[in-house]
Amino acid sequence: MDDVIIVGGSFAGLAAALQLGRARRKVTVLDTGLPRNRFAGHSHGLLGHDHKPPPDILAEARRQLARYPAINLVNARADSVSGALDDFSVVTGGGERLAARRLILSYGITDQMPDVPGFAESWGTSIVPCPYCDGFEVADQHWGLVWSGPQSHNQVRLFHDWTDRLTVFADSHAIPPDTRADLERRNTPIVDGRITEITRHGGHNPTLKLNVGPDVAVDILFAHPRNKPSASLHESLGLATVDTPLGIVLKVDERRETSMPGIYAAGDLANPLMASATTASWQGAMAGIFAQQSMLV
């Protein structure tokens, strides 16, 4: 029996494994090799790894974890989870049954691309979600923001730290009159109509086609599509969740423990605020540390 099984081996899962391996706790990491940020060319804002491709960072992390004999990295999907504290069971996609005293869920989320031609193909290059991840590289250029709800108003205020040229695309959302007045005061034009297609030229420079009016070109487009957990294990376990404007995440306490004793969660799967490799890493480390401490006798 393992001490801990970690489901998901990106930044959060590997950070948890590192802490547990250094504590000489037996841990198995199950990973499908499909991290959320696989569409991004570079990772930014991660101390010591700024401007490195995410796959390179994760590959180096796995090489470093290989020095810890207690860590077992397995390329497999977790198909089902059952059991309770000190006696959890995980069945992999290959039919193997694993047992552990604790679980850490870090299988992340999946962005749900809108049914707009060109959107999915541009995701991670000319369409991005995070100014902390990509804003510096496109500072002072013409940004676009696809309105997704009231939270977009705060994005407008935030983006002005990077650029004074910002265009909001309502995309059929009803932006309230008082919000429109504030955007006008900030010299932020609003383009009404529904986005029907996105084309691009090179890495950035998307052009938005609308159902009314002329096409609009920007240097970079920010968008925040809805997302969902990339697996449904939390549903079968009945874990409590938190609703956010963009989807649900798992509810955790200050120790990263979910509503079921012995199950911890970290990374985008349990982060209702700003998702990034940095936050995923520290949350994973905390989940690993607190899982270890919960097994002390």
mmCIF file of all heavy atoms in Angstrom, residues 127-174:
data_model
loop_
_atom_site.group_PDB
_atom_site.id
_atom_site.type_symbol
_atom_site.label_atom_id
_atom_site.label_comp_id
_atom_site.label_asym_id
_atom_site.label_seq_id
_atom_site.Cartn_x
_atom_site.Cartn_y
_atom_site.Cartn_z
ATOM 1 N N ILE A 127 -4.762 33.864 -28.400
ATOM 2 C CA ILE A 127 -5.819 34.026 -27.386
ATOM 3 C C ILE A 127 -5.300 33.437 -26.085
ATOM 4 O O ILE A 127 -4.934 32.261 -26.023
ATOM 5 C CB ILE A 127 -7.133 33.329 -27.787
ATOM 6 C CG1 ILE A 127 -7.602 33.797 -29.164
ATOM 7 C CG2 ILE A 127 -8.211 33.592 -26.747
ATOM 8 C CD1 ILE A 127 -8.850 33.082 -29.651
ATOM 9 N N VAL A 128 -5.253 34.255 -25.040
ATOM 10 C CA VAL A 128 -4.689 33.828 -23.764
ATOM 11 C C VAL A 128 -5.594 34.303 -22.621
ATOM 12 O O VAL A 128 -6.370 35.241 -22.785
ATOM 13 C CB VAL A 128 -3.262 34.376 -23.568
ATOM 14 C CG1 VAL A 128 -2.315 33.779 -24.611
ATOM 15 C CG2 VAL A 128 -3.246 35.892 -23.650
ATOM 16 N N PRO A 129 -5.497 33.687 -21.430
ATOM 17 C CA PRO A 129 -6.368 34.091 -20.327
ATOM 18 C C PRO A 129 -5.721 34.962 -19.259
ATOM 19 O O PRO A 129 -6.433 35.645 -18.518
ATOM 20 C CB PRO A 129 -6.785 32.749 -19.717
ATOM 21 C CG PRO A 129 -5.585 31.875 -19.932
ATOM 22 C CD PRO A 129 -4.937 32.332 -21.213
ATOM 23 N N CYS A 130 -4.374 34.950 -19.157
ATOM 24 C CA CYS A 130 -3.745 35.482 -17.946
ATOM 25 C C CYS A 130 -2.740 36.587 -18.249
ATOM 26 O O CYS A 130 -1.715 36.320 -18.895
ATOM 27 C CB CYS A 130 -3.052 34.339 -17.201
ATOM 28 S SG CYS A 130 -2.057 34.865 -15.791
ATOM 29 N N PRO A 131 -2.970 37.814 -17.772
ATOM 30 C CA PRO A 131 -1.990 38.878 -18.013
ATOM 31 C C PRO A 131 -0.684 38.672 -17.264
ATOM 32 O O PRO A 131 0.377 39.116 -17.726
ATOM 33 C CB PRO A 131 -2.716 40.127 -17.522
ATOM 34 C CG PRO A 131 -3.678 39.636 -16.493
ATOM 35 C CD PRO A 131 -4.131 38.292 -17.000
ATOM 36 N N TYR A 132 -0.723 37.981 -16.130
ATOM 37 C CA TYR A 132 0.510 37.723 -15.394
ATOM 38 C C TYR A 132 1.395 36.728 -16.143
ATOM 39 O O TYR A 132 2.617 36.730 -15.982
ATOM 40 C CB TYR A 132 0.200 37.203 -13.998
ATOM 41 C CG TYR A 132 -0.510 38.216 -13.138
ATOM 42 C CD1 TYR A 132 -1.888 38.146 -12.940
ATOM 43 C CD2 TYR A 132 0.178 39.269 -12.544
ATOM 44 C CE1 TYR A 132 -2.550 39.090 -12.176
ATOM 45 C CE2 TYR A 132 -0.465 40.209 -11.781
ATOM 46 C CZ TYR A 132 -1.836 40.121 -11.597
ATOM 47 O OH TYR A 132 -2.497 41.068 -10.840
ATOM 48 N N CYS A 133 0.771 35.886 -16.950
ATOM 49 C CA CYS A 133 1.518 34.890 -17.721
ATOM 50 C C CYS A 133 2.050 35.457 -19.028
ATOM 51 O O CYS A 133 3.127 35.068 -19.481
ATOM 52 C CB CYS A 133 0.624 33.688 -18.025
ATOM 53 S SG CYS A 133 -0.063 32.886 -16.567
ATOM 54 N N ASP A 134 1.314 36.355 -19.663
ATOM 55 C CA ASP A 134 1.680 36.804 -21.007
ATOM 56 C C ASP A 134 1.690 38.315 -21.192
ATOM 57 O O ASP A 134 2.094 38.795 -22.257
ATOM 58 C CB ASP A 134 0.704 36.200 -22.028
ATOM 59 C CG ASP A 134 0.809 34.682 -22.086
ATOM 60 O OD1 ASP A 134 1.805 34.199 -22.633
ATOM 61 O OD2 ASP A 134 -0.106 33.996 -21.590
ATOM 62 N N GLY A 135 1.260 39.077 -20.193
ATOM 63 C CA GLY A 135 1.105 40.512 -20.380
ATOM 64 C C GLY A 135 2.391 41.258 -20.664
ATOM 65 O O GLY A 135 2.410 42.172 -21.495
ATOM 66 N N PHE A 136 3.475 40.900 -20.004
ATOM 67 C CA PHE A 136 4.726 41.636 -20.165
ATOM 68 C C PHE A 136 5.216 41.589 -21.609
ATOM 69 O O PHE A 136 5.718 42.580 -22.143
ATOM 70 C CB PHE A 136 5.795 41.077 -19.229
ATOM 71 C CG PHE A 136 7.103 41.816 -19.289
ATOM 72 C CD1 PHE A 136 7.304 42.958 -18.530
ATOM 73 C CD2 PHE A 136 8.130 41.364 -20.109
ATOM 74 C CE1 PHE A 136 8.513 43.644 -18.598
ATOM 75 C CE2 PHE A 136 9.335 42.045 -20.182
ATOM 76 C CZ PHE A 136 9.521 43.197 -19.421
ATOM 77 N N GLU A 137 5.068 40.427 -22.244
ATOM 78 C CA GLU A 137 5.580 40.248 -23.597
ATOM 79 C C GLU A 137 4.793 41.051 -24.631
ATOM 80 O O GLU A 137 5.286 41.286 -25.744
ATOM 81 C CB GLU A 137 5.567 38.757 -23.974
ATOM 82 C CG GLU A 137 6.681 37.941 -23.363
ATOM 83 C CD GLU A 137 6.599 37.804 -21.852
ATOM 84 O OE1 GLU A 137 5.467 37.829 -21.308
ATOM 85 O OE2 GLU A 137 7.655 37.675 -21.197
ATOM 86 N N VAL A 138 3.568 41.441 -24.305
ATOM 87 C CA VAL A 138 2.739 42.201 -25.261
ATOM 88 C C VAL A 138 2.332 43.550 -24.665
ATOM 89 O O VAL A 138 1.340 44.145 -25.075
ATOM 90 C CB VAL A 138 1.498 41.392 -25.689
ATOM 91 C CG1 VAL A 138 1.897 40.219 -26.553
ATOM 92 C CG2 VAL A 138 0.705 40.906 -24.465
ATOM 93 N N ALA A 139 3.110 44.043 -23.715
ATOM 94 C CA ALA A 139 2.792 45.330 -23.082
ATOM 95 C C ALA A 139 2.810 46.449 -24.118
ATOM 96 O O ALA A 139 3.586 46.427 -25.078
ATOM 97 C CB ALA A 139 3.793 45.626 -21.974
ATOM 98 N N ASP A 140 1.920 47.427 -23.909
ATOM 99 C CA ASP A 140 1.785 48.621 -24.749
ATOM 100 C C ASP A 140 1.252 48.320 -26.151
ATOM 101 O O ASP A 140 1.222 49.211 -27.001
ATOM 102 C CB ASP A 140 3.121 49.377 -24.860
ATOM 103 C CG ASP A 140 3.600 49.899 -23.512
ATOM 104 O OD1 ASP A 140 2.736 50.340 -22.728
ATOM 105 O OD2 ASP A 140 4.809 49.841 -23.242
ATOM 106 N N GLN A 141 0.833 47.088 -26.383
ATOM 107 C CA GLN A 141 0.210 46.757 -27.656
ATOM 108 C C GLN A 141 -1.312 46.858 -27.531
ATOM 109 O O GLN A 141 -1.850 47.165 -26.465
ATOM 110 C CB GLN A 141 0.642 45.361 -28.104
ATOM 111 C CG GLN A 141 2.145 45.239 -28.359
ATOM 112 C CD GLN A 141 2.536 43.873 -28.878
ATOM 113 O OE1 GLN A 141 1.778 43.216 -29.584
ATOM 114 N NE2 GLN A 141 3.742 43.435 -28.532
ATOM 115 N N HIS A 142 -1.994 46.605 -28.624
ATOM 116 C CA HIS A 142 -3.453 46.692 -28.660
ATOM 117 C C HIS A 142 -4.040 45.364 -28.187
ATOM 118 O O HIS A 142 -3.920 44.345 -28.863
ATOM 119 C CB HIS A 142 -3.934 47.016 -30.079
ATOM 120 C CG HIS A 142 -5.408 47.199 -30.187
ATOM 121 N ND1 HIS A 142 -6.062 47.323 -31.390
ATOM 122 C CD2 HIS A 142 -6.388 47.297 -29.237
ATOM 123 C CE1 HIS A 142 -7.357 47.483 -31.184
ATOM 124 N NE2 HIS A 142 -7.573 47.460 -29.874
ATOM 125 N N TRP A 143 -4.652 45.387 -27.018
ATOM 126 C CA TRP A 143 -5.262 44.195 -26.450
ATOM 127 C C TRP A 143 -6.754 44.172 -26.736
ATOM 128 O O TRP A 143 -7.405 45.212 -26.824
ATOM 129 C CB TRP A 143 -5.063 44.149 -24.939
ATOM 130 C CG TRP A 143 -3.659 43.939 -24.474
ATOM 131 C CD1 TRP A 143 -2.499 44.112 -25.188
ATOM 132 C CD2 TRP A 143 -3.261 43.524 -23.159
ATOM 133 N NE1 TRP A 143 -1.408 43.837 -24.409
ATOM 134 C CE2 TRP A 143 -1.838 43.478 -23.160
ATOM 135 C CE3 TRP A 143 -3.949 43.206 -22.002
ATOM 136 C CZ2 TRP A 143 -1.116 43.109 -22.022
ATOM 137 C CZ3 TRP A 143 -3.236 42.851 -20.872
ATOM 138 C CH2 TRP A 143 -1.829 42.791 -20.878
ATOM 139 N N GLY A 144 -7.294 42.972 -26.844
ATOM 140 C CA GLY A 144 -8.729 42.772 -26.886
ATOM 141 C C GLY A 144 -9.157 41.923 -25.716
ATOM 142 O O GLY A 144 -8.381 41.092 -25.217
ATOM 143 N N LEU A 145 -10.361 42.144 -25.241
ATOM 144 C CA LEU A 145 -10.920 41.348 -24.143
ATOM 145 C C LEU A 145 -12.318 40.897 -24.524
ATOM 146 O O LEU A 145 -13.185 41.731 -24.811
ATOM 147 C CB LEU A 145 -10.975 42.153 -22.846
ATOM 148 C CG LEU A 145 -11.733 41.499 -21.678
ATOM 149 C CD1 LEU A 145 -11.036 40.217 -21.225
ATOM 150 C CD2 LEU A 145 -11.887 42.462 -20.505
ATOM 151 N N VAL A 146 -12.550 39.605 -24.541
ATOM 152 C CA VAL A 146 -13.883 39.062 -24.767
ATOM 153 C C VAL A 146 -14.634 39.096 -23.441
ATOM 154 O O VAL A 146 -14.239 38.449 -22.477
ATOM 155 C CB VAL A 146 -13.825 37.618 -25.307
ATOM 156 C CG1 VAL A 146 -15.236 37.083 -25.534
ATOM 157 C CG2 VAL A 146 -13.028 37.564 -26.598
ATOM 158 N N TRP A 147 -15.717 39.873 -23.408
ATOM 159 C CA TRP A 147 -16.504 40.023 -22.178
ATOM 160 C C TRP A 147 -17.133 38.689 -21.809
ATOM 161 O O TRP A 147 -17.727 38.015 -22.653
ATOM 162 C CB TRP A 147 -17.582 41.078 -22.397
ATOM 163 C CG TRP A 147 -18.156 41.626 -21.124
ATOM 164 C CD1 TRP A 147 -19.281 41.213 -20.477
ATOM 165 C CD2 TRP A 147 -17.643 42.722 -20.347
ATOM 166 N NE1 TRP A 147 -19.495 41.956 -19.349
ATOM 167 C CE2 TRP A 147 -18.502 42.894 -19.241
ATOM 168 C CE3 TRP A 147 -16.536 43.566 -20.494
ATOM 169 C CZ2 TRP A 147 -18.305 43.884 -18.287
ATOM 170 C CZ3 TRP A 147 -16.322 44.534 -19.542
ATOM 171 C CH2 TRP A 147 -17.201 44.692 -18.455
ATOM 172 N N SER A 148 -17.015 38.299 -20.542
ATOM 173 C CA SER A 148 -17.597 37.036 -20.093
ATOM 174 C C SER A 148 -18.527 37.198 -18.906
ATOM 175 O O SER A 148 -19.109 36.213 -18.430
ATOM 176 C CB SER A 148 -16.487 36.034 -19.743
ATOM 177 O OG SER A 148 -15.641 36.554 -18.729
ATOM 178 N N GLY A 149 -18.681 38.424 -18.406
ATOM 179 C CA GLY A 149 -19.557 38.653 -17.266
ATOM 180 C C GLY A 149 -19.035 39.787 -16.409
ATOM 181 O O GLY A 149 -18.061 40.465 -16.766
ATOM 182 N N PRO A 150 -19.644 40.015 -15.242
ATOM 183 C CA PRO A 150 -19.231 41.129 -14.380
ATOM 184 C C PRO A 150 -17.759 41.114 -14.014
ATOM 185 O O PRO A 150 -17.145 42.170 -13.821
ATOM 186 C CB PRO A 150 -20.115 40.941 -13.139
ATOM 187 C CG PRO A 150 -21.319 40.194 -13.630
ATOM 188 C CD PRO A 150 -20.808 39.291 -14.710
ATOM 189 N N GLN A 151 -17.157 39.920 -13.933
ATOM 190 C CA GLN A 151 -15.743 39.831 -13.574
ATOM 191 C C GLN A 151 -14.847 40.477 -14.629
ATOM 192 O O GLN A 151 -13.698 40.854 -14.341
ATOM 193 C CB GLN A 151 -15.329 38.373 -13.353
ATOM 194 C CG GLN A 151 -15.344 37.503 -14.595
ATOM 195 C CD GLN A 151 -16.712 36.936 -14.923
ATOM 196 O OE1 GLN A 151 -17.697 37.252 -14.260
ATOM 197 N NE2 GLN A 151 -16.776 36.088 -15.926
ATOM 198 N N SER A 152 -15.354 40.634 -15.852
ATOM 199 C CA SER A 152 -14.546 41.250 -16.911
ATOM 200 C C SER A 152 -14.271 42.724 -16.629
ATOM 201 O O SER A 152 -13.271 43.270 -17.107
ATOM 202 C CB SER A 152 -15.252 41.101 -18.258
ATOM 203 O OG SER A 152 -15.352 39.746 -18.628
ATOM 204 N N HIS A 153 -15.152 43.363 -15.855
ATOM 205 C CA HIS A 153 -14.942 44.770 -15.525
ATOM 206 C C HIS A 153 -13.643 44.941 -14.729
ATOM 207 O O HIS A 153 -12.868 45.878 -14.962
ATOM 208 C CB HIS A 153 -16.139 45.296 -14.730
ATOM 209 C CG HIS A 153 -16.165 46.783 -14.615
ATOM 210 N ND1 HIS A 153 -17.063 47.449 -13.806
ATOM 211 C CD2 HIS A 153 -15.421 47.745 -15.196
ATOM 212 C CE1 HIS A 153 -16.852 48.756 -13.907
ATOM 213 N NE2 HIS A 153 -15.861 48.959 -14.737
ATOM 214 N N ASN A 154 -13.385 44.019 -13.827
ATOM 215 C CA ASN A 154 -12.137 44.090 -13.065
ATOM 216 C C ASN A 154 -10.940 43.802 -13.959
ATOM 217 O O ASN A 154 -9.850 44.373 -13.763
ATOM 218 C CB ASN A 154 -12.166 43.104 -11.899
ATOM 219 C CG ASN A 154 -10.945 43.237 -11.003
ATOM 220 O OD1 ASN A 154 -10.705 44.298 -10.430
ATOM 221 N ND2 ASN A 154 -10.158 42.170 -10.883
ATOM 222 N N GLN A 155 -11.125 42.938 -14.966
ATOM 223 C CA GLN A 155 -10.042 42.678 -15.903
ATOM 224 C C GLN A 155 -9.637 43.959 -16.634
ATOM 225 O O GLN A 155 -8.455 44.215 -16.853
ATOM 226 C CB GLN A 155 -10.471 41.606 -16.907
ATOM 227 C CG GLN A 155 -10.677 40.227 -16.315
ATOM 228 C CD GLN A 155 -9.382 39.586 -15.865
ATOM 229 O OE1 GLN A 155 -8.348 39.740 -16.502
ATOM 230 N NE2 GLN A 155 -9.434 38.859 -14.741
ATOM 231 N N VAL A 156 -10.620 44.776 -17.006
ATOM 232 C CA VAL A 156 -10.328 46.040 -17.689
ATOM 233 C C VAL A 156 -9.435 46.907 -16.814
ATOM 234 O O VAL A 156 -8.429 47.470 -17.268
ATOM 235 C CB VAL A 156 -11.622 46.774 -18.056
ATOM 236 C CG1 VAL A 156 -11.320 48.187 -18.556
ATOM 237 C CG2 VAL A 156 -12.392 45.996 -19.112
ATOM 238 N N ARG A 157 -9.796 47.031 -15.553
ATOM 239 C CA ARG A 157 -8.987 47.838 -14.638
ATOM 240 C C ARG A 157 -7.582 47.259 -14.497
ATOM 241 O O ARG A 157 -6.590 47.989 -14.464
ATOM 242 C CB ARG A 157 -9.676 47.921 -13.270
ATOM 243 C CG ARG A 157 -11.024 48.640 -13.304
ATOM 244 C CD ARG A 157 -11.485 48.987 -11.901
ATOM 245 N NE ARG A 157 -11.878 47.796 -11.157
ATOM 246 C CZ ARG A 157 -13.122 47.345 -11.072
ATOM 247 N NH1 ARG A 157 -14.104 47.997 -11.684
ATOM 248 N NH2 ARG A 157 -13.404 46.275 -10.358
ATOM 249 N N LEU A 158 -7.496 45.944 -14.430
ATOM 250 C CA LEU A 158 -6.213 45.269 -14.256
ATOM 251 C C LEU A 158 -5.323 45.461 -15.480
ATOM 252 O O LEU A 158 -4.127 45.743 -15.356
ATOM 253 C CB LEU A 158 -6.458 43.778 -14.008
ATOM 254 C CG LEU A 158 -5.243 42.888 -13.769
ATOM 255 C CD1 LEU A 158 -4.592 43.237 -12.436
ATOM 256 C CD2 LEU A 158 -5.653 41.414 -13.789
ATOM 257 N N PHE A 159 -5.903 45.325 -16.657
ATOM 258 C CA PHE A 159 -5.110 45.352 -17.883
ATOM 259 C C PHE A 159 -4.413 46.695 -18.113
ATOM 260 O O PHE A 159 -3.402 46.752 -18.807
ATOM 261 C CB PHE A 159 -5.994 45.037 -19.085
ATOM 262 C CG PHE A 159 -6.415 43.588 -19.182
ATOM 263 C CD1 PHE A 159 -6.010 42.652 -18.250
ATOM 264 C CD2 PHE A 159 -7.231 43.166 -20.220
ATOM 265 C CE1 PHE A 159 -6.407 41.337 -18.332
ATOM 266 C CE2 PHE A 159 -7.617 41.844 -20.320
ATOM 267 C CZ PHE A 159 -7.215 40.920 -19.375
ATOM 268 N N HIS A 160 -4.937 47.750 -17.538
ATOM 269 C CA HIS A 160 -4.352 49.068 -17.773
ATOM 270 C C HIS A 160 -2.964 49.219 -17.143
ATOM 271 O O HIS A 160 -2.273 50.205 -17.402
ATOM 272 C CB HIS A 160 -5.294 50.173 -17.289
ATOM 273 C CG HIS A 160 -6.380 50.471 -18.282
ATOM 274 N ND1 HIS A 160 -6.119 51.006 -19.524
ATOM 275 C CD2 HIS A 160 -7.722 50.291 -18.220
ATOM 276 C CE1 HIS A 160 -7.257 51.161 -20.191
ATOM 277 N NE2 HIS A 160 -8.244 50.731 -19.431
ATOM 278 N N ASP A 161 -2.549 48.258 -16.336
ATOM 279 C CA ASP A 161 -1.170 48.263 -15.857
ATOM 280 C C ASP A 161 -0.198 47.859 -16.974
ATOM 281 O O ASP A 161 1.006 48.109 -16.864
ATOM 282 C CB ASP A 161 -0.998 47.311 -14.672
ATOM 283 C CG ASP A 161 -1.291 47.990 -13.342
ATOM 284 O OD1 ASP A 161 -1.594 49.190 -13.351
ATOM 285 O OD2 ASP A 161 -1.208 47.315 -12.301
ATOM 286 N N TRP A 162 -0.714 47.205 -18.011
ATOM 287 C CA TRP A 162 0.132 46.745 -19.109
ATOM 288 C C TRP A 162 -0.049 47.563 -20.391
ATOM 289 O O TRP A 162 0.873 47.669 -21.185
ATOM 290 C CB TRP A 162 -0.148 45.274 -19.425
ATOM 291 C CG TRP A 162 0.424 44.308 -18.445
ATOM 292 C CD1 TRP A 162 1.681 43.759 -18.454
ATOM 293 C CD2 TRP A 162 -0.233 43.748 -17.294
ATOM 294 N NE1 TRP A 162 1.849 42.896 -17.403
ATOM 295 C CE2 TRP A 162 0.687 42.858 -16.668
ATOM 296 C CE3 TRP A 162 -1.508 43.883 -16.738
ATOM 297 C CZ2 TRP A 162 0.372 42.133 -15.520
ATOM 298 C CZ3 TRP A 162 -1.823 43.161 -15.609
ATOM 299 C CH2 TRP A 162 -0.890 42.312 -14.997
ATOM 300 N N THR A 163 -1.249 48.062 -20.617
ATOM 301 C CA THR A 163 -1.495 48.752 -21.874
ATOM 302 C C THR A 163 -2.615 49.782 -21.720
ATOM 303 O O THR A 163 -3.506 49.613 -20.885
ATOM 304 C CB THR A 163 -1.872 47.755 -22.985
ATOM 305 O OG1 THR A 163 -1.990 48.448 -24.224
ATOM 306 C CG2 THR A 163 -3.204 47.061 -22.676
ATOM 307 N N ASP A 164 -2.530 50.834 -22.524
ATOM 308 C CA ASP A 164 -3.595 51.829 -22.582
ATOM 309 C C ASP A 164 -4.472 51.631 -23.809
ATOM 310 O O ASP A 164 -5.407 52.398 -24.036
ATOM 311 C CB ASP A 164 -2.996 53.249 -22.616
ATOM 312 C CG ASP A 164 -2.331 53.612 -21.299
ATOM 313 O OD1 ASP A 164 -2.826 53.172 -20.245
ATOM 314 O OD2 ASP A 164 -1.305 54.316 -21.321
ATOM 315 N N ARG A 165 -4.159 50.621 -24.603
ATOM 316 C CA ARG A 165 -4.946 50.337 -25.806
ATOM 317 C C ARG A 165 -5.691 49.021 -25.612
ATOM 318 O O ARG A 165 -5.124 47.936 -25.763
ATOM 319 C CB ARG A 165 -4.046 50.276 -27.039
ATOM 320 C CG ARG A 165 -3.436 51.625 -27.413
ATOM 321 C CD ARG A 165 -2.785 51.530 -28.786
ATOM 322 N NE ARG A 165 -1.619 50.657 -28.756
ATOM 323 C CZ ARG A 165 -1.097 50.080 -29.851
ATOM 324 N NH1 ARG A 165 -1.668 50.263 -31.022
ATOM 325 N NH2 ARG A 165 -0.024 49.332 -29.736
ATOM 326 N N LEU A 166 -6.933 49.135 -25.231
ATOM 327 C CA LEU A 166 -7.757 47.966 -24.939
ATOM 328 C C LEU A 166 -9.122 48.128 -25.583
ATOM 329 O O LEU A 166 -9.747 49.178 -25.463
ATOM 330 C CB LEU A 166 -7.905 47.788 -23.425
ATOM 331 C CG LEU A 166 -8.858 46.679 -22.951
ATOM 332 C CD1 LEU A 166 -8.340 45.302 -23.382
ATOM 333 C CD2 LEU A 166 -9.021 46.737 -21.430
ATOM 334 N N THR A 167 -9.576 47.089 -26.275
ATOM 335 C CA THR A 167 -10.912 47.055 -26.863
ATOM 336 C C THR A 167 -11.688 45.896 -26.254
ATOM 337 O O THR A 167 -11.169 44.770 -26.165
ATOM 338 C CB THR A 167 -10.843 46.876 -28.390
ATOM 339 O OG1 THR A 167 -10.169 48.004 -28.967
ATOM 340 C CG2 THR A 167 -12.240 46.768 -28.995
ATOM 341 N N VAL A 168 -12.902 46.174 -25.820
ATOM 342 C CA VAL A 168 -13.775 45.146 -25.240
ATOM 343 C C VAL A 168 -14.745 44.650 -26.315
ATOM 344 O O VAL A 168 -15.366 45.449 -27.018
ATOM 345 C CB VAL A 168 -14.551 45.711 -24.036
ATOM 346 C CG1 VAL A 168 -15.721 44.800 -23.665
ATOM 347 C CG2 VAL A 168 -13.627 45.882 -22.842
ATOM 348 N N PHE A 169 -14.864 43.345 -26.424
ATOM 349 C CA PHE A 169 -15.818 42.724 -27.344
ATOM 350 C C PHE A 169 -16.972 42.157 -26.516
ATOM 351 O O PHE A 169 -16.779 41.206 -25.746
ATOM 352 C CB PHE A 169 -15.138 41.624 -28.161
ATOM 353 C CG PHE A 169 -14.071 42.153 -29.079
ATOM 354 C CD1 PHE A 169 -12.754 42.293 -28.634
ATOM 355 C CD2 PHE A 169 -14.377 42.540 -30.371
ATOM 356 C CE1 PHE A 169 -11.771 42.786 -29.474
ATOM 357 C CE2 PHE A 169 -13.396 43.045 -31.228
ATOM 358 C CZ PHE A 169 -12.092 43.170 -30.766
ATOM 359 N N ALA A 170 -18.153 42.756 -26.667
ATOM 360 C CA ALA A 170 -19.293 42.363 -25.842
ATOM 361 C C ALA A 170 -19.715 40.924 -26.117
ATOM 362 O O ALA A 170 -20.188 40.230 -25.211
ATOM 363 C CB ALA A 170 -20.461 43.308 -26.094
ATOM 364 N N ASP A 171 -19.568 40.469 -27.358
ATOM 365 C CA ASP A 171 -19.904 39.095 -27.747
ATOM 366 C C ASP A 171 -21.304 38.715 -27.265
ATOM 367 O O ASP A 171 -21.521 37.656 -26.662
ATOM 368 C CB ASP A 171 -18.863 38.120 -27.204
ATOM 369 C CG ASP A 171 -18.921 36.773 -27.923
ATOM 370 O OD1 ASP A 171 -19.350 36.731 -29.084
ATOM 371 O OD2 ASP A 171 -18.543 35.760 -27.295
ATOM 372 N N SER A 172 -22.256 39.607 -27.519
ATOM 373 C CA SER A 172 -23.684 39.410 -27.219
ATOM 374 C C SER A 172 -24.023 39.494 -25.737
ATOM 375 O O SER A 172 -25.167 39.251 -25.345
ATOM 376 C CB SER A 172 -24.201 38.074 -27.787
ATOM 377 O OG SER A 172 -24.072 38.052 -29.197
ATOM 378 N N HIS A 173 -23.053 39.832 -24.877
ATOM 379 C CA HIS A 173 -23.365 40.044 -23.465
ATOM 380 C C HIS A 173 -23.994 41.425 -23.281
ATOM 381 O O HIS A 173 -23.626 42.380 -23.971
ATOM 382 C CB HIS A 173 -22.106 39.948 -22.595
ATOM 383 C CG HIS A 173 -21.641 38.550 -22.362
ATOM 384 N ND1 HIS A 173 -20.803 37.886 -23.228
ATOM 385 C CD2 HIS A 173 -21.902 37.676 -21.354
ATOM 386 C CE1 HIS A 173 -20.552 36.675 -22.764
ATOM 387 N NE2 HIS A 173 -21.204 36.519 -21.638
ATOM 388 N N ALA A 174 -24.906 41.513 -22.341
ATOM 389 C CA ALA A 174 -25.540 42.792 -22.008
ATOM 390 C C ALA A 174 -24.691 43.495 -20.953
ATOM 391 O O ALA A 174 -24.778 43.189 -19.754
ATOM 392 C CB ALA A 174 -26.958 42.563 -21.496
#
